[in-house]
Amino acid sequence: MSATPPALLDGARVTMFANLGREQSPTGATRHSVGNFADVVVRLAIACYDGDTDRYLFYCNRKWEVVADTCHPTEREAVAQAEFEFRGVTFLRVPPSEPGDPTA
């Protein structure tokens, strides 16, 4: 599976992503309802829906399937939530789609 996310997750445009490894282990600061969360969630994405100002932090499995999400008023707050939950998480920015791009 690709370590780079698709352009859209659950219909929301991905703007940033992070892959989780041993160095990005859960901090234990948040309790998750998903069983085996640390084993299932290995990728994170921040995305927004067209016409919406909120940003979503998507918790994804290896296939970039969304397992859970949280909603935040800004991208910065979504990143802060991820940093609160995972040690050493680093997000990479996804370049905007070009006009005429079939994924746009």
Side-chain angles (χ1 to χ4, degrees), residues 43-93:
R43 306 187 193 287
L44 301 174
I46 296 176
C48 61
Y49 291 97
D50 288 343
D52 192 355
T53 58
D54 290 331
R55 296 295 182 259
Y56 292 82
L57 172 59
F58 288 139
Y59 304 82
C60 302
N61 65 17
R62 192 165 306 288
K63 297 179 183 178
W64 287 107
E65 296 167 330
V66 177
V67 175
D69 66 69
T70 56
C71 180
H72 305 273
T74 66
E75 188 174 82
R76 180 177 286 189
E77 290 178 68
V79 169
Q81 180 64 37
E83 291 170 341
F84 178 72
E85 295 186 43
F86 298 95
R87 291 175 184 86
V89 67
T90 301
F91 281 89
L92 299 173
R93 180 132 337 250

